Amino acid sequence: MNTEHPYPAMRAEEIPLGVQEVILPSGERALAYSTAPTTPPPQAVPVAQPIPAWAKTTALLAPTVGGGIGMAAVGLSTAAPGLIAMSHALWSAVALIATGGTAAAVLIGRVRARLGASQRAMERPHITQHITATGLFGRANGTINHR
């Protein structure tokens, strides 16, 4: 330990900010406050991270999708009276088809009933055949009826 100085010398990293070591004209070393503003040590510069592809795609699609929805809303509001009239016309068409189908079914039923009555009058004779056999290898006998 130095007998001239009652305090031990400080290491450079122990010296606080704004204080620096100076040499006096007598050659003695001393700590003094700096009158010039001290700059803090430079901090690490943040490195720019790349933007993910999904974020770029979403950012590019967002205005497009929003604009498309907006244009669809404008188009629907413009076409609303025509769409209402079209729905009424479609319901009318469905009712016409249903009525026409019912009328066709009734007409076909009546025509079939008339044709059936006339065919029963001119009915062809039915030929029936009854065959019987006894046993696995027995002789078969049969009758034929004409009516």
Side-chain angles (χ1 to χ4, degrees):
M1 187 162 166
N2 193 348
T3 55
E4 271 183 40
H5 299 287
Y7 303 109
M10 292 179 75
R11 294 187 311 234
E13 60 268 2
E14 292 177 342
I15 299 174
L17 286 177
V19 177
Q20 59 186 6
E21 186 178 13
V22 292
I23 301 175
L24 299 174
S26 64
E28 193 178 341
R29 293 178 182 243
L31 294 176
Y33 286 102
S34 171
T35 56
T38 58
T39 59
Q43 295 188 2
V45 177
V47 178
Q49 298 291 327
I51 298 173
W54 66 266
K56 288 181 186 177
T57 304
T58 303
L60 290 173
L61 284 177
T64 306
V65 171
I69 291 171
M71 292 304 291
V74 169
L76 284 175
S77 67
T78 304
L83 290 175
I84 291 169
M86 182 82 63
S87 70
H88 289 303
L90 286 174
W91 280 115
S92 298
V94 168
L96 180 67
I97 290 170
T99 306
T102 305
V106 169
L107 182 65
I108 289 172
R110 286 186 181 171
V111 169
R112 284 182 131 185
R114 284 188 187 161
L115 288 176
S118 65
Q119 278 188 354
R120 274 186 238 119
M122 301 183 325
E123 199 171 313
R124 292 192 220 160
H126 288 283
I127 300 173
T128 57
Q129 190 173 15
H130 298 284
I131 300 173
T132 58
T134 55
L136 183 60
F137 296 105
R139 189 170 194 188
N141 294 320
T143 59
I144 298 174
N145 297 321
H146 296 274
R147 293 186 192 170

